[in-house]
Amino acid sequence: MALFKKRTAGKPGEWFYCLEHKKVEEGPDCPGKDRFGPYASREEATHAMETAREKNLEWENDPRWHDAPKGE
């Protein structure tokens, strides 16, 4: 069993948004727990927080996730 895991190397053209540093990075420079992605372009990664906000709002307002209690 290996004591140290091999660091994942980034692929050219994969973009991530680092939550720790609040910046866009090409390739996964930071741990997976601290980033969103991969995105196909730098522009997509730049808007990662906006995209996450929009998806959260969609989820919060999705009636499939907010069933009325039985009997109502």
Side-chain angles (χ1 to χ4, degrees):
M1 181 163 96
L3 293 175
F4 300 100
K5 292 185 179 182
K6 193 174 186 181
R7 186 172 182 183
T8 304
K11 296 177 186 172
E14 281 188 335
W15 295 91
F16 296 84
Y17 182 80
C18 177
L19 300 167
E20 179 79 18
H21 301 108
K22 304 201 181 350
K23 68 175 187 157
V24 174
E25 301 171 342
E26 187 173 12
D29 289 337
C30 294
K33 68 180 181 66
D34 294 331
R35 67 177 190 249
F36 285 156
Y39 295 97
S41 69
R42 180 179 193 86
E43 183 69 20
E44 264 186 79
T46 300
H47 298 290
M49 295 304 292
E50 293 169 31
T51 303
R53 254 189 306 281
E54 289 169 6
K55 288 185 178 193
N56 284 341
L57 279 173
E58 286 175 22
W59 179 80
E60 288 170 6
N61 295 312
D62 188 334
R64 294 175 296 178
W65 296 103
H66 298 284
D67 296 332
K70 301 240 183 224
E72 287 187 9

